[in-house]
Every structure is written in structure tokens, then in C-alpha cells.
Amino acid sequence: MRILLLGSDWYGSASRSSAESLRRLGHNVLDVDESRYFPALRLFSSRAALRVVRFRLVDELNRAILKEARAFPHDIFLAFKGAYVLPGTLRTLAS
């Protein structure tokens, strides 16, 4: 089975562990790492600046998901948390 997986790819994350387990079971898994689009920031000023451009980052992430989905025909789209996946993206993936 071909699985397009959205989640964080840091060592020990549930999405990374699941992707590795699915691969061991013989599935073809493509990861889209959402942490590339939403970095973990410690400084208040950095977090405030991130809020200003968040809508652009959400749009960029959703475009990346659709681009990967076109390049990787999949049977299942699996999102861990998926807080930034827009309804329009889900509709496009479902069609």
C-alpha cells in the first residue's frame, strides 16, 4: 500500500515511528515533515513574528502536500494532528 504521511519527523515522534513501522510491514511511505514549515521557537519575539506569517506557512504546507500527492499516487493520506491541513486540501486529496 502507498501511504502519504504528514507529521513531524523528529526522532521519537509518533509519526516517524509509525512511518518506520509501516515500512517494515512492506508499505511504501512518503513523509511530509510539517516541522519544516512550523519551526519550534523559544523567544517570544520569534513566536510573535511567526504568527504574523502563519497564514503564508499554512498555505505553503498545503501546497507541498498537494504537490507530493500528485507526484506520489497514494492509497491513504495519514495526518498526525494535521492542525494546519485545510479543508480544501482534504477535498482535493479525496477526489
Side-chain angles (χ1 to χ4, degrees), residues 37-38 50-63:
Y37 300 90
F38 298 95
L50 184 64
R51 283 181 184 255
V52 171
V53 297
R54 183 175 305 268
F55 73 97
R56 300 286 299 199
L57 297 175
V58 169
D59 183 58
E60 188 175 340
L61 171 64
N62 282 269
R63 288 175 188 260

PDB file of all heavy atoms in Angstrom, residues 37-38 50-63:
ATOM      1  N   TYR A  37       7.909  23.526   8.103  1.00  0.00           N
ATOM      2  CA  TYR A  37       7.119  24.730   7.844  1.00  0.00           C
ATOM      3  C   TYR A  37       6.805  25.512   9.111  1.00  0.00           C
ATOM      4  O   TYR A  37       6.526  26.707   9.048  1.00  0.00           O
ATOM      5  CB  TYR A  37       5.816  24.348   7.127  1.00  0.00           C
ATOM      6  CG  TYR A  37       6.095  23.670   5.813  1.00  0.00           C
ATOM      7  CD1 TYR A  37       6.229  22.293   5.737  1.00  0.00           C
ATOM      8  CD2 TYR A  37       6.283  24.407   4.657  1.00  0.00           C
ATOM      9  CE1 TYR A  37       6.519  21.664   4.541  1.00  0.00           C
ATOM     10  CE2 TYR A  37       6.583  23.789   3.451  1.00  0.00           C
ATOM     11  CZ  TYR A  37       6.691  22.414   3.411  1.00  0.00           C
ATOM     12  OH  TYR A  37       6.997  21.801   2.215  1.00  0.00           O
ATOM     13  N   PHE A  38       6.806  24.839  10.257  1.00  0.00           N
ATOM     14  CA  PHE A  38       6.483  25.475  11.532  1.00  0.00           C
ATOM     15  C   PHE A  38       7.564  25.133  12.554  1.00  0.00           C
ATOM     16  O   PHE A  38       7.432  24.176  13.307  1.00  0.00           O
ATOM     17  CB  PHE A  38       5.111  25.006  12.040  1.00  0.00           C
ATOM     18  CG  PHE A  38       4.011  25.391  11.108  1.00  0.00           C
ATOM     19  CD1 PHE A  38       3.559  24.501  10.157  1.00  0.00           C
ATOM     20  CD2 PHE A  38       3.460  26.655  11.164  1.00  0.00           C
ATOM     21  CE1 PHE A  38       2.555  24.852   9.283  1.00  0.00           C
ATOM     22  CE2 PHE A  38       2.450  27.022  10.286  1.00  0.00           C
ATOM     23  CZ  PHE A  38       2.006  26.118   9.344  1.00  0.00           C
ATOM     24  N   LEU A  50       6.346  34.741  13.897  1.00  0.00           N
ATOM     25  CA  LEU A  50       5.799  33.572  13.223  1.00  0.00           C
ATOM     26  C   LEU A  50       4.281  33.689  13.065  1.00  0.00           C
ATOM     27  O   LEU A  50       3.720  33.322  12.038  1.00  0.00           O
ATOM     28  CB  LEU A  50       6.158  32.297  13.983  1.00  0.00           C
ATOM     29  CG  LEU A  50       5.728  30.985  13.347  1.00  0.00           C
ATOM     30  CD1 LEU A  50       6.424  30.771  12.012  1.00  0.00           C
ATOM     31  CD2 LEU A  50       6.043  29.824  14.286  1.00  0.00           C
ATOM     32  N   ARG A  51       3.617  34.243  14.080  1.00  0.00           N
ATOM     33  CA  ARG A  51       2.161  34.422  13.996  1.00  0.00           C
ATOM     34  C   ARG A  51       1.774  35.346  12.853  1.00  0.00           C
ATOM     35  O   ARG A  51       0.730  35.176  12.234  1.00  0.00           O
ATOM     36  CB  ARG A  51       1.608  34.971  15.302  1.00  0.00           C
ATOM     37  CG  ARG A  51       1.512  33.932  16.368  1.00  0.00           C
ATOM     38  CD  ARG A  51       0.919  34.552  17.628  1.00  0.00           C
ATOM     39  NE  ARG A  51       0.920  33.586  18.688  1.00  0.00           N
ATOM     40  CZ  ARG A  51      -0.164  32.967  19.113  1.00  0.00           C
ATOM     41  NH1 ARG A  51      -1.322  33.233  18.566  1.00  0.00           N
ATOM     42  NH2 ARG A  51      -0.081  32.103  20.087  1.00  0.00           N
ATOM     43  N   VAL A  52       2.616  36.327  12.582  1.00  0.00           N
ATOM     44  CA  VAL A  52       2.327  37.282  11.514  1.00  0.00           C
ATOM     45  C   VAL A  52       2.324  36.593  10.150  1.00  0.00           C
ATOM     46  O   VAL A  52       1.505  36.913   9.294  1.00  0.00           O
ATOM     47  CB  VAL A  52       3.349  38.447  11.538  1.00  0.00           C
ATOM     48  CG1 VAL A  52       3.210  39.334  10.322  1.00  0.00           C
ATOM     49  CG2 VAL A  52       3.209  39.245  12.821  1.00  0.00           C
ATOM     50  N   VAL A  53       3.197  35.638   9.958  1.00  0.00           N
ATOM     51  CA  VAL A  53       3.316  34.966   8.649  1.00  0.00           C
ATOM     52  C   VAL A  53       2.708  33.561   8.646  1.00  0.00           C
ATOM     53  O   VAL A  53       2.838  32.835   7.672  1.00  0.00           O
ATOM     54  CB  VAL A  53       4.790  34.905   8.192  1.00  0.00           C
ATOM     55  CG1 VAL A  53       5.354  36.293   7.987  1.00  0.00           C
ATOM     56  CG2 VAL A  53       5.635  34.110   9.159  1.00  0.00           C
ATOM     57  N   ARG A  54       2.019  33.197   9.704  1.00  0.00           N
ATOM     58  CA  ARG A  54       1.466  31.839   9.815  1.00  0.00           C
ATOM     59  C   ARG A  54       0.580  31.471   8.623  1.00  0.00           C
ATOM     60  O   ARG A  54       0.652  30.367   8.111  1.00  0.00           O
ATOM     61  CB  ARG A  54       0.694  31.667  11.113  1.00  0.00           C
ATOM     62  CG  ARG A  54       0.173  30.255  11.302  1.00  0.00           C
ATOM     63  CD  ARG A  54      -0.489  30.059  12.638  1.00  0.00           C
ATOM     64  NE  ARG A  54       0.346  30.412  13.754  1.00  0.00           N
ATOM     65  CZ  ARG A  54       1.136  29.564  14.408  1.00  0.00           C
ATOM     66  NH1 ARG A  54       1.186  28.316  14.055  1.00  0.00           N
ATOM     67  NH2 ARG A  54       1.860  29.973  15.432  1.00  0.00           N
ATOM     68  N   PHE A  55      -0.274  32.395   8.175  1.00  0.00           N
ATOM     69  CA  PHE A  55      -1.171  32.083   7.065  1.00  0.00           C
ATOM     70  C   PHE A  55      -0.392  31.715   5.807  1.00  0.00           C
ATOM     71  O   PHE A  55      -0.807  30.849   5.044  1.00  0.00           O
ATOM     72  CB  PHE A  55      -2.151  33.232   6.789  1.00  0.00           C
ATOM     73  CG  PHE A  55      -1.523  34.429   6.143  1.00  0.00           C
ATOM     74  CD1 PHE A  55      -1.581  34.600   4.777  1.00  0.00           C
ATOM     75  CD2 PHE A  55      -0.880  35.392   6.912  1.00  0.00           C
ATOM     76  CE1 PHE A  55      -0.996  35.709   4.178  1.00  0.00           C
ATOM     77  CE2 PHE A  55      -0.299  36.505   6.328  1.00  0.00           C
ATOM     78  CZ  PHE A  55      -0.353  36.661   4.947  1.00  0.00           C
ATOM     79  N   ARG A  56       0.759  32.360   5.607  1.00  0.00           N
ATOM     80  CA  ARG A  56       1.606  32.024   4.454  1.00  0.00           C
ATOM     81  C   ARG A  56       2.222  30.631   4.622  1.00  0.00           C
ATOM     82  O   ARG A  56       2.337  29.871   3.672  1.00  0.00           O
ATOM     83  CB  ARG A  56       2.718  33.070   4.277  1.00  0.00           C
ATOM     84  CG  ARG A  56       2.249  34.478   4.034  1.00  0.00           C
ATOM     85  CD  ARG A  56       1.728  34.648   2.668  1.00  0.00           C
ATOM     86  NE  ARG A  56       2.798  34.370   1.721  1.00  0.00           N
ATOM     87  CZ  ARG A  56       2.795  34.761   0.477  1.00  0.00           C
ATOM     88  NH1 ARG A  56       1.794  35.452   0.020  1.00  0.00           N
ATOM     89  NH2 ARG A  56       3.779  34.467  -0.313  1.00  0.00           N
ATOM     90  N   LEU A  57       2.629  30.299   5.841  1.00  0.00           N
ATOM     91  CA  LEU A  57       3.217  28.989   6.107  1.00  0.00           C
ATOM     92  C   LEU A  57       2.179  27.882   5.951  1.00  0.00           C
ATOM     93  O   LEU A  57       2.483  26.810   5.421  1.00  0.00           O
ATOM     94  CB  LEU A  57       3.831  28.962   7.505  1.00  0.00           C
ATOM     95  CG  LEU A  57       4.984  29.937   7.737  1.00  0.00           C
ATOM     96  CD1 LEU A  57       5.417  29.896   9.193  1.00  0.00           C
ATOM     97  CD2 LEU A  57       6.144  29.641   6.818  1.00  0.00           C
ATOM     98  N   VAL A  58       0.952  28.138   6.386  1.00  0.00           N
ATOM     99  CA  VAL A  58      -0.128  27.160   6.223  1.00  0.00           C
ATOM    100  C   VAL A  58      -0.368  26.912   4.740  1.00  0.00           C
ATOM    101  O   VAL A  58      -0.497  25.771   4.291  1.00  0.00           O
ATOM    102  CB  VAL A  58      -1.414  27.636   6.935  1.00  0.00           C
ATOM    103  CG1 VAL A  58      -2.607  26.779   6.543  1.00  0.00           C
ATOM    104  CG2 VAL A  58      -1.224  27.628   8.439  1.00  0.00           C
ATOM    105  N   ASP A  59      -0.420  27.995   3.971  1.00  0.00           N
ATOM    106  CA  ASP A  59      -0.615  27.870   2.524  1.00  0.00           C
ATOM    107  C   ASP A  59       0.526  27.087   1.882  1.00  0.00           C
ATOM    108  O   ASP A  59       0.295  26.204   1.046  1.00  0.00           O
ATOM    109  CB  ASP A  59      -0.724  29.260   1.896  1.00  0.00           C
ATOM    110  CG  ASP A  59      -1.003  29.193   0.413  1.00  0.00           C
ATOM    111  OD1 ASP A  59      -2.030  28.590   0.034  1.00  0.00           O
ATOM    112  OD2 ASP A  59      -0.193  29.726  -0.359  1.00  0.00           O
ATOM    113  N   GLU A  60       1.755  27.381   2.283  1.00  0.00           N
ATOM    114  CA  GLU A  60       2.915  26.690   1.730  1.00  0.00           C
ATOM    115  C   GLU A  60       2.890  25.199   2.060  1.00  0.00           C
ATOM    116  O   GLU A  60       3.169  24.355   1.207  1.00  0.00           O
ATOM    117  CB  GLU A  60       4.202  27.332   2.260  1.00  0.00           C
ATOM    118  CG  GLU A  60       5.455  26.802   1.594  1.00  0.00           C
ATOM    119  CD  GLU A  60       6.706  27.534   2.047  1.00  0.00           C
ATOM    120  OE1 GLU A  60       6.604  28.654   2.569  1.00  0.00           O
ATOM    121  OE2 GLU A  60       7.793  26.958   1.882  1.00  0.00           O
ATOM    122  N   LEU A  61       2.519  24.864   3.294  1.00  0.00           N
ATOM    123  CA  LEU A  61       2.419  23.461   3.685  1.00  0.00           C
ATOM    124  C   LEU A  61       1.363  22.742   2.857  1.00  0.00           C
ATOM    125  O   LEU A  61       1.597  21.640   2.345  1.00  0.00           O
ATOM    126  CB  LEU A  61       2.083  23.336   5.173  1.00  0.00           C
ATOM    127  CG  LEU A  61       1.744  21.920   5.660  1.00  0.00           C
ATOM    128  CD1 LEU A  61       2.951  20.994   5.521  1.00  0.00           C
ATOM    129  CD2 LEU A  61       1.240  21.956   7.091  1.00  0.00           C
ATOM    130  N   ASN A  62       0.197  23.342   2.697  1.00  0.00           N
ATOM    131  CA  ASN A  62      -0.870  22.709   1.941  1.00  0.00           C
ATOM    132  C   ASN A  62      -0.508  22.551   0.471  1.00  0.00           C
ATOM    133  O   ASN A  62      -0.828  21.536  -0.148  1.00  0.00           O
ATOM    134  CB  ASN A  62      -2.180  23.479   2.123  1.00  0.00           C
ATOM    135  CG  ASN A  62      -2.815  23.167   3.453  1.00  0.00           C
ATOM    136  OD1 ASN A  62      -3.617  22.256   3.552  1.00  0.00           O
ATOM    137  ND2 ASN A  62      -2.417  23.888   4.488  1.00  0.00           N
ATOM    138  N   ARG A  63       0.199  23.502  -0.087  1.00  0.00           N
ATOM    139  CA  ARG A  63       0.695  23.360  -1.463  1.00  0.00           C
ATOM    140  C   ARG A  63       1.692  22.204  -1.564  1.00  0.00           C
ATOM    141  O   ARG A  63       1.684  21.446  -2.529  1.00  0.00           O
ATOM    142  CB  ARG A  63       1.340  24.652  -1.943  1.00  0.00           C
ATOM    143  CG  ARG A  63       0.356  25.757  -2.226  1.00  0.00           C
ATOM    144  CD  ARG A  63       1.096  27.044  -2.583  1.00  0.00           C
ATOM    145  NE  ARG A  63       0.213  28.155  -2.688  1.00  0.00           N
ATOM    146  CZ  ARG A  63      -0.249  28.641  -3.838  1.00  0.00           C
ATOM    147  NH1 ARG A  63       0.116  28.095  -4.971  1.00  0.00           N
ATOM    148  NH2 ARG A  63      -1.074  29.660  -3.833  1.00  0.00           N
TER     149      ARG A  63
END
